[in-house]
Amino acid sequence: QVQLVESGGGSVQAGGSLRLSCAAFGYTYSIERMGWFRQAPGKEREGVAAIYTDGGSTYYADSVKGRFTISQDNAKNTVYLQMNSLKPEDTAMYYCAAGQAYSGYWYWESRYNYWGQGTQVTVSS
């Protein structure tokens, strides 16, 4: 089992920055990928970014490319999502996820086995 604990959400004005953290506990050696997903009210959950733990390959949704950066600190079993130039449309509940599968597209939710409780990000105009 793997437990994920997110932190770092909050409220910010448009153009501002936030950094989300996701700490993993338990059998973290089995994790091949870590991802961030978000869900806005009335919308489906969508992939934001992902990083593969072996090699550090990263992937981003088109809507956040150039503004968000996903990174990992393997010594701390923690993944970060640095969010810059935030827009009101970034407002959502953000979820951290961990997957044991290496194959499959990074945004496939089915490839993630563990999910955090979510952290709210609110961007005002």
Side-chain angles (χ1 to χ4, degrees):
Q1 284 286 349
V2 174
Q3 295 80 41
L4 302 174
V5 179
E6 300 135 332
S7 60
S11 297
V12 66
Q13 288 191 329
S17 298
L18 284 172
R19 189 177 80 157
L20 306 183
S21 299
C22 174
F25 302 92
Y27 292 104
T28 58
Y29 65 87
S30 66
I31 299 303
E32 294 287 346
R33 62 170 79 187
M34 297 286 293
W36 286 97
F37 291 76
R38 68 185 180 186
Q39 187 168 24
K43 294 187 177 181
E44 292 188 355
R45 189 159 59 186
E46 62 176 356
V48 176
I51 186 166
Y52 283 74
T53 57
D54 185 11
S57 297
T58 58
Y59 300 86
Y60 297 93
D62 288 343
S63 59
V64 307
K65 279 182 182 176
R67 300 188 298 123
F68 291 10
T69 302
I70 189 170
S71 61
Q72 61 184 356
D73 184 334
N74 289 334
K76 296 181 179 179
N77 290 324
T78 299
V79 172
Y80 304 96
L81 185 68
Q82 178 67 43
M83 305 185 294
N84 298 329
S85 302
L86 282 161
K87 304 175 181 180
E89 50 264 44
D90 294 318
T91 295
M93 184 71 78
Y94 282 71
Y95 298 90
C96 174
Q100 297 169 323
Y102 187 83
S103 61
Y105 290 112
W106 68 270
Y107 50 83
W108 283 358
E109 292 189 28
S110 62
R111 309 309 282 174
Y112 293 86
N113 307 89
Y114 307 101
W115 293 81
Q117 78 284 1
T119 185
Q120 179 68 36
V121 171
T122 302
V123 184
S124 58
S125 58

